[in-house]
Amino acid sequence: MQVSWQTLQEQVSQCISCPLCAHRTHTVFGEGNPHASLLFVGEGPGADEDRMGRPFVGRAGQLLDKMIQAMGLQREDVYIANVVKCRPPGNRTPLPEETRACLPYLRGQFALIRPKVIVCLGATAARAIISEDIRITRDRGNWVNKKGIWIMPTYHPAALLRDPTKKRETWQDLQEVMKKLEETDVQNAASE
Ligand code: URA
């Protein structure tokens, strides 16, 4: 059953489904255009996000903002969410059971937003959304279609901060995303 934005937000803010809730300052629900065609999904909040209750506001977030602007978009045009809504201690990768506990919230966001394209930022998002077997260096740049939604795995902005040579491939992936959004717009216009 599909829940409302308000119910989903309340469920996340009160969630105690996994041990990550014990360490959080704020849950980080996600933010952006609730009808966005394009949804970015990261791994989970870091220290800045935990403090502010907003996704991608630290250094990786500043780079994500630049990537969005380079696509000719503003942060407000897209939706930005994470696989887990509470900060894993020391920014470690979320454990499989933490991801499992939190995934229903992300699925609820998919159902409400109904994006045309999802960009998985890094392996954690790609494994949670596409397949556990994903290897980001091997599989990035390759479209997957699930239930009519086009999904593009690419590098996480934090990986680009660590290794700027990955920026070129990431930009290629984002250009594919822009093409796909244009194609789906043309198809929509034709069917109207
Ligand atoms: N990294 C993520 O994966 N998500 C955030 O919100 C911030 C940093």
Side-chain angles (χ1 to χ4, degrees):
M1 197 195 64
Q2 185 164 326
V3 298
S4 67
W5 278 108
Q6 193 188 347
T7 304
L8 198 60
Q9 272 165 336
E10 278 168 13
Q11 287 174 346
V12 168
S13 68
Q14 294 161 16
C15 184
I16 49 166
S17 297
C18 88
L20 293 183
C21 67
H23 308 278
R24 73 179 173 224
T25 312
H26 292 108
T27 55
V28 178
F29 181 78
E31 66 184 25
N33 178 351
H35 308 293
S37 302
L38 177 57
L39 167 61
F40 287 92
V41 181
E43 177 173 297
D48 296 312
E49 291 78 18
D50 174 67
R51 197 175 58 243
M52 296 182 62
R54 295 180 53 208
F56 281 97
V57 290
R59 273 186 77 220
Q62 284 161 20
L63 182 53
L64 178 61
D65 286 348
K66 281 194 195 154
M67 289 157 60
I68 292 170
Q69 279 163 20
M71 296 172 79
L73 298 168
Q74 298 297 317
R75 197 175 157 110
E76 301 71 44
D77 298 327
V78 304
Y79 200 92
I80 303 174
N82 281 304
V83 173
V84 294
K85 312 303 192 205
C86 296
R87 183 189 181 203
N91 297 346
R92 63 160 170 74
T93 305
L95 301 173
E97 55 270 30
E98 294 160 354
T99 297
R100 247 191 319 274
C102 218
L103 259 187
Y105 300 132
L106 187 61
R107 294 218 176 92
Q109 289 172 309
F110 291 173
L112 287 163
I113 300 167
R114 306 208 301 122
K116 299 203 171 68
V117 175
I118 297 174
V119 175
C120 296
L121 297 168
T124 300
R127 288 185 183 138
I129 296 168
I130 303 171
S131 153
E132 283 179 11
D133 305 326
I134 291 272
R135 286 198 1 236
I136 202 72
T137 43
R138 182 191 62 193
D139 298 321
R140 59 140 283 278
N142 293 319
W143 284 112
V144 176
N145 191 300
K146 276 199 162 185
K147 298 185 188 163
I149 303 180
W150 289 101
I151 308 175
M152 172 59 81
T154 194
Y155 290 118
H156 191 287
L160 308 183
L161 291 172
R162 285 192 298 270
D163 177 3
T165 64
K166 293 191 163 89
K167 284 187 181 174
R168 197 178 54 83
E169 287 169 314
T170 308
W171 179 234
Q172 281 170 6
D173 301 345
L174 295 181
Q175 283 176 311
E176 286 299 316
V177 168
M178 284 148 60
K179 271 195 238 157
K180 187 66 80 183
L181 286 169
E182 275 165 30
E183 272 167 37
T184 55
D185 274 353
V186 171
Q187 280 161 11
N188 278 358
S191 65
E192 268 166 18

Short mmCIF file of all heavy atoms in Angstrom, two decimals, residues 135-172:
data_model
loop_
_atom_site.label_atom_id
_atom_site.label_comp_id
_atom_site.label_asym_id
_atom_site.label_seq_id
_atom_site.Cartn_x
_atom_site.Cartn_y
_atom_site.Cartn_z
N ARG A 135 29.54 -4.44 -9.34
CA ARG A 135 30.86 -3.87 -9.02
C ARG A 135 30.94 -2.56 -9.76
O ARG A 135 30.82 -2.52 -10.99
CB ARG A 135 31.97 -4.84 -9.45
CG ARG A 135 32.01 -6.00 -8.48
CD ARG A 135 33.28 -6.82 -8.49
NE ARG A 135 34.29 -6.37 -9.39
CZ ARG A 135 34.84 -7.14 -10.34
NH1 ARG A 135 34.44 -8.38 -10.51
NH2 ARG A 135 35.79 -6.66 -11.11
N ILE A 136 31.12 -1.48 -9.02
CA ILE A 136 30.90 -0.17 -9.61
C ILE A 136 31.92 0.14 -10.72
O ILE A 136 31.55 0.71 -11.75
CB ILE A 136 30.82 0.93 -8.51
CG1 ILE A 136 30.07 2.16 -9.02
CG2 ILE A 136 32.16 1.31 -7.94
CD1 ILE A 136 28.61 1.98 -9.18
N THR A 137 33.17 -0.30 -10.55
CA THR A 137 34.17 -0.01 -11.60
C THR A 137 33.83 -0.77 -12.88
O THR A 137 34.08 -0.28 -13.98
CB THR A 137 35.59 -0.40 -11.16
OG1 THR A 137 35.52 -1.66 -10.51
CG2 THR A 137 36.19 0.61 -10.21
N ARG A 138 33.24 -1.94 -12.74
CA ARG A 138 32.88 -2.74 -13.92
C ARG A 138 31.54 -2.30 -14.52
O ARG A 138 31.38 -2.26 -15.73
CB ARG A 138 32.79 -4.22 -13.49
CG ARG A 138 32.48 -5.20 -14.61
CD ARG A 138 32.15 -6.57 -14.06
NE ARG A 138 30.96 -6.54 -13.19
CZ ARG A 138 30.59 -7.53 -12.39
NH1 ARG A 138 31.34 -8.62 -12.30
NH2 ARG A 138 29.50 -7.44 -11.65
N ASP A 139 30.58 -1.99 -13.65
CA ASP A 139 29.19 -1.84 -14.10
C ASP A 139 28.73 -0.40 -14.28
O ASP A 139 27.64 -0.17 -14.80
CB ASP A 139 28.25 -2.56 -13.13
CG ASP A 139 28.54 -4.04 -13.08
OD1 ASP A 139 28.82 -4.60 -14.15
OD2 ASP A 139 28.52 -4.63 -11.99
N ARG A 140 29.53 0.54 -13.85
CA ARG A 140 29.09 1.94 -14.00
C ARG A 140 28.91 2.25 -15.50
O ARG A 140 29.56 1.66 -16.35
CB ARG A 140 30.07 2.94 -13.37
CG ARG A 140 31.49 2.88 -13.93
CD ARG A 140 32.12 4.22 -14.12
NE ARG A 140 31.62 4.87 -15.30
CZ ARG A 140 32.07 4.63 -16.53
NH1 ARG A 140 33.00 3.71 -16.77
NH2 ARG A 140 31.55 5.29 -17.56
N GLY A 141 27.99 3.15 -15.75
CA GLY A 141 27.79 3.56 -17.15
C GLY A 141 26.85 2.66 -17.92
O GLY A 141 26.52 2.96 -19.06
N ASN A 142 26.41 1.56 -17.32
CA ASN A 142 25.51 0.63 -18.02
C ASN A 142 24.09 0.75 -17.48
O ASN A 142 23.85 0.53 -16.29
CB ASN A 142 25.98 -0.82 -17.84
CG ASN A 142 27.31 -1.04 -18.55
OD1 ASN A 142 27.50 -0.54 -19.66
ND2 ASN A 142 28.21 -1.76 -17.91
N TRP A 143 23.17 1.09 -18.37
CA TRP A 143 21.77 1.25 -17.97
C TRP A 143 21.16 -0.07 -17.52
O TRP A 143 21.45 -1.12 -18.09
CB TRP A 143 20.93 1.75 -19.16
CG TRP A 143 21.10 3.19 -19.48
CD1 TRP A 143 21.68 3.72 -20.60
CD2 TRP A 143 20.65 4.31 -18.69
NE1 TRP A 143 21.63 5.09 -20.54
CE2 TRP A 143 21.01 5.47 -19.39
CE3 TRP A 143 20.00 4.44 -17.47
CZ2 TRP A 143 20.73 6.76 -18.92
CZ3 TRP A 143 19.72 5.69 -16.99
CH2 TRP A 143 20.09 6.84 -17.70
N VAL A 144 20.30 0.04 -16.53
CA VAL A 144 19.46 -1.09 -16.12
C VAL A 144 18.03 -0.54 -16.10
O VAL A 144 17.82 0.60 -15.66
CB VAL A 144 19.84 -1.57 -14.70
CG1 VAL A 144 18.90 -2.67 -14.22
CG2 VAL A 144 21.29 -2.03 -14.66
N ASN A 145 17.07 -1.31 -16.61
CA ASN A 145 15.68 -0.87 -16.51
C ASN A 145 14.95 -1.80 -15.55
O ASN A 145 14.97 -3.03 -15.72
CB ASN A 145 14.99 -0.89 -17.89
CG ASN A 145 13.65 -0.18 -17.81
OD1 ASN A 145 12.76 -0.58 -17.07
ND2 ASN A 145 13.49 0.90 -18.56
N LYS A 146 14.35 -1.21 -14.54
CA LYS A 146 13.57 -2.00 -13.57
C LYS A 146 12.20 -1.37 -13.46
O LYS A 146 12.10 -0.19 -13.13
CB LYS A 146 14.24 -1.97 -12.19
CG LYS A 146 15.32 -3.00 -12.02
CD LYS A 146 15.58 -3.23 -10.53
CE LYS A 146 16.31 -4.52 -10.29
NZ LYS A 146 16.46 -4.81 -8.87
N LYS A 147 11.19 -2.15 -13.76
CA LYS A 147 9.80 -1.69 -13.67
C LYS A 147 9.61 -0.35 -14.38
O LYS A 147 8.96 0.57 -13.86
CB LYS A 147 9.37 -1.56 -12.20
CG LYS A 147 9.39 -2.88 -11.45
CD LYS A 147 8.84 -2.72 -10.06
CE LYS A 147 9.04 -3.98 -9.26
NZ LYS A 147 8.91 -3.80 -7.82
N GLY A 148 10.24 -0.21 -15.54
CA GLY A 148 10.04 1.00 -16.35
C GLY A 148 10.91 2.19 -15.93
O GLY A 148 10.86 3.23 -16.59
N ILE A 149 11.68 2.04 -14.87
CA ILE A 149 12.56 3.14 -14.44
C ILE A 149 13.98 2.84 -14.93
O ILE A 149 14.49 1.73 -14.72
CB ILE A 149 12.57 3.31 -12.90
CG1 ILE A 149 11.15 3.54 -12.37
CG2 ILE A 149 13.48 4.47 -12.49
CD1 ILE A 149 11.08 3.70 -10.86
N TRP A 150 14.59 3.83 -15.57
CA TRP A 150 15.97 3.68 -16.03
C TRP A 150 16.92 3.99 -14.88
O TRP A 150 16.78 5.02 -14.22
CB TRP A 150 16.25 4.61 -17.21
CG TRP A 150 15.56 4.15 -18.44
CD1 TRP A 150 14.41 4.64 -18.97
CD2 TRP A 150 15.97 3.07 -19.29
NE1 TRP A 150 14.07 3.93 -20.09
CE2 TRP A 150 15.01 2.96 -20.32
CE3 TRP A 150 17.05 2.17 -19.28
CZ2 TRP A 150 15.11 2.01 -21.33
CZ3 TRP A 150 17.15 1.23 -20.29
CH2 TRP A 150 16.18 1.15 -21.31
N ILE A 151 17.89 3.09 -14.67
CA ILE A 151 18.80 3.23 -13.52
C ILE A 151 20.24 3.25 -14.02
O ILE A 151 20.65 2.37 -14.78
CB ILE A 151 18.60 2.07 -12.52
CG1 ILE A 151 17.11 1.94 -12.15
CG2 ILE A 151 19.45 2.30 -11.26
CD1 ILE A 151 16.79 0.75 -11.28
N MET A 152 20.97 4.28 -13.61
CA MET A 152 22.38 4.44 -14.03
C MET A 152 23.29 4.37 -12.80
O MET A 152 23.24 5.24 -11.93
CB MET A 152 22.56 5.80 -14.71
CG MET A 152 23.99 6.18 -15.03
SD MET A 152 24.83 5.00 -16.10
CE MET A 152 24.26 5.50 -17.71
N PRO A 153 24.14 3.34 -12.71
CA PRO A 153 25.14 3.33 -11.64
C PRO A 153 26.35 4.16 -12.04
O PRO A 153 26.84 4.05 -13.17
CB PRO A 153 25.52 1.84 -11.52
CG PRO A 153 25.14 1.20 -12.82
CD PRO A 153 24.19 2.12 -13.55
N THR A 154 26.82 4.98 -11.12
CA THR A 154 28.05 5.73 -11.37
C THR A 154 28.82 5.89 -10.06
O THR A 154 28.40 5.38 -9.02
CB THR A 154 27.75 7.09 -12.06
OG1 THR A 154 28.98 7.62 -12.57
CG2 THR A 154 27.12 8.12 -11.11
N TYR A 155 29.93 6.59 -10.14
CA TYR A 155 30.75 6.76 -8.93
C TYR A 155 30.09 7.72 -7.94
O TYR A 155 29.37 8.65 -8.33
CB TYR A 155 32.13 7.31 -9.29
CG TYR A 155 33.00 6.34 -10.03
CD1 TYR A 155 33.44 6.60 -11.32
CD2 TYR A 155 33.40 5.14 -9.43
CE1 TYR A 155 34.25 5.70 -12.01
CE2 TYR A 155 34.20 4.24 -10.11
CZ TYR A 155 34.61 4.52 -11.39
OH TYR A 155 35.41 3.63 -12.06
N HIS A 156 30.37 7.50 -6.67
CA HIS A 156 29.93 8.40 -5.60
C HIS A 156 30.81 9.65 -5.63
O HIS A 156 32.03 9.54 -5.87
CB HIS A 156 30.08 7.68 -4.25
CG HIS A 156 29.41 8.38 -3.12
ND1 HIS A 156 29.91 9.54 -2.58
CD2 HIS A 156 28.29 8.09 -2.43
CE1 HIS A 156 29.11 9.94 -1.59
NE2 HIS A 156 28.11 9.07 -1.49
N PRO A 157 30.24 10.85 -5.40
CA PRO A 157 31.09 12.05 -5.40
C PRO A 157 32.26 11.97 -4.43
O PRO A 157 33.33 12.55 -4.70
CB PRO A 157 30.14 13.19 -5.01
CG PRO A 157 28.77 12.64 -5.01
CD PRO A 157 28.82 11.16 -5.23
N ALA A 158 32.13 11.25 -3.33
CA ALA A 158 33.26 11.11 -2.39
C ALA A 158 34.41 10.36 -3.06
O ALA A 158 35.59 10.64 -2.80
CB ALA A 158 32.82 10.39 -1.12
N ALA A 159 34.07 9.41 -3.95
CA ALA A 159 35.12 8.68 -4.68
C ALA A 159 35.84 9.63 -5.65
O ALA A 159 37.04 9.50 -5.88
CB ALA A 159 34.51 7.51 -5.45
N LEU A 160 35.09 10.60 -6.19
CA LEU A 160 35.71 11.58 -7.11
C LEU A 160 36.63 12.54 -6.36
O LEU A 160 37.63 13.00 -6.91
CB LEU A 160 34.63 12.38 -7.84
CG LEU A 160 33.54 11.59 -8.56
CD1 LEU A 160 32.60 12.53 -9.28
CD2 LEU A 160 34.15 10.60 -9.54
N LEU A 161 36.27 12.82 -5.10
CA LEU A 161 37.14 13.68 -4.29
C LEU A 161 38.45 12.95 -3.99
O LEU A 161 39.52 13.55 -3.97
CB LEU A 161 36.44 14.08 -2.98
CG LEU A 161 35.26 15.04 -3.12
CD1 LEU A 161 34.53 15.20 -1.78
CD2 LEU A 161 35.72 16.40 -3.64
N ARG A 162 38.34 11.63 -3.77
CA ARG A 162 39.55 10.84 -3.48
C ARG A 162 40.38 10.62 -4.74
O ARG A 162 41.61 10.57 -4.68
CB ARG A 162 39.16 9.47 -2.89
CG ARG A 162 38.70 9.52 -1.45
CD ARG A 162 38.62 8.11 -0.87
NE ARG A 162 37.66 7.26 -1.56
CZ ARG A 162 36.37 7.16 -1.21
NH1 ARG A 162 35.90 7.84 -0.20
NH2 ARG A 162 35.56 6.36 -1.88
N ASP A 163 39.70 10.46 -5.88
CA ASP A 163 40.40 10.13 -7.13
C ASP A 163 39.76 10.92 -8.29
O ASP A 163 38.86 10.43 -8.97
CB ASP A 163 40.30 8.62 -7.39
CG ASP A 163 40.95 8.22 -8.71
OD1 ASP A 163 41.53 9.11 -9.39
OD2 ASP A 163 40.88 7.04 -9.07
N PRO A 164 40.25 12.16 -8.50
CA PRO A 164 39.64 13.02 -9.53
C PRO A 164 39.71 12.44 -10.95
O PRO A 164 38.97 12.89 -11.82
CB PRO A 164 40.44 14.32 -9.43
CG PRO A 164 41.05 14.30 -8.07
CD PRO A 164 41.29 12.85 -7.74
N THR A 165 40.56 11.43 -11.19
CA THR A 165 40.61 10.86 -12.55
C THR A 165 39.29 10.15 -12.89
O THR A 165 39.01 9.89 -14.05
CB THR A 165 41.78 9.85 -12.73
OG1 THR A 165 41.54 8.73 -11.87
CG2 THR A 165 43.13 10.48 -12.41
N LYS A 166 38.47 9.85 -11.87
CA LYS A 166 37.18 9.21 -12.13
C LYS A 166 36.12 10.20 -12.63
O LYS A 166 35.02 9.80 -13.02
CB LYS A 166 36.65 8.54 -10.85
CG LYS A 166 37.47 7.35 -10.38
CD LYS A 166 36.72 6.59 -9.29
CE LYS A 166 37.28 5.20 -9.07
NZ LYS A 166 38.35 5.16 -8.09
N LYS A 167 36.45 11.49 -12.61
CA LYS A 167 35.44 12.50 -12.99
C LYS A 167 35.02 12.38 -14.45
O LYS A 167 33.88 12.61 -14.80
CB LYS A 167 35.98 13.92 -12.74
CG LYS A 167 35.99 14.31 -11.27
CD LYS A 167 36.37 15.76 -11.11
CE LYS A 167 36.41 16.13 -9.63
NZ LYS A 167 36.89 17.48 -9.40
N ARG A 168 35.99 12.02 -15.30
CA ARG A 168 35.68 11.96 -16.75
C ARG A 168 34.59 10.92 -17.03
O ARG A 168 33.61 11.20 -17.71
CB ARG A 168 36.97 11.63 -17.53
CG ARG A 168 36.88 11.94 -19.01
CD ARG A 168 38.20 11.64 -19.71
NE ARG A 168 38.65 10.27 -19.44
CZ ARG A 168 38.23 9.20 -20.11
NH1 ARG A 168 37.39 9.33 -21.10
NH2 ARG A 168 38.68 7.99 -19.80
N GLU A 169 34.77 9.72 -16.45
CA GLU A 169 33.78 8.65 -16.67
C GLU A 169 32.43 9.03 -16.05
O GLU A 169 31.37 8.76 -16.62
CB GLU A 169 34.26 7.35 -16.04
CG GLU A 169 35.39 6.71 -16.81
CD GLU A 169 36.03 5.58 -16.03
OE1 GLU A 169 36.31 5.76 -14.82
OE2 GLU A 169 36.23 4.51 -16.61
N THR A 170 32.49 9.68 -14.91
CA THR A 170 31.24 10.08 -14.25
C THR A 170 30.49 11.09 -15.11
O THR A 170 29.26 11.00 -15.26
CB THR A 170 31.54 10.69 -12.86
OG1 THR A 170 32.35 9.78 -12.15
CG2 THR A 170 30.27 10.98 -12.08
N TRP A 171 31.23 11.99 -15.72
CA TRP A 171 30.59 12.99 -16.58
C TRP A 171 29.96 12.32 -17.81
O TRP A 171 28.86 12.67 -18.23
CB TRP A 171 31.60 14.08 -16.97
CG TRP A 171 31.04 15.13 -17.86
CD1 TRP A 171 31.54 15.54 -19.06
CD2 TRP A 171 29.86 15.94 -17.64
NE1 TRP A 171 30.75 16.51 -19.60
CE2 TRP A 171 29.71 16.77 -18.76
CE3 TRP A 171 28.92 15.99 -16.62
CZ2 TRP A 171 28.65 17.68 -18.88
CZ3 TRP A 171 27.86 16.89 -16.74
CH2 TRP A 171 27.73 17.71 -17.85
N GLN A 172 30.66 11.30 -18.34
CA GLN A 172 30.05 10.52 -19.45
C GLN A 172 28.72 9.91 -19.00
O GLN A 172 27.73 9.96 -19.73
CB GLN A 172 30.97 9.35 -19.86
CG GLN A 172 32.13 9.75 -20.75
CD GLN A 172 33.12 8.58 -20.91
OE1 GLN A 172 32.88 7.47 -20.45
NE2 GLN A 172 34.23 8.86 -21.54
#
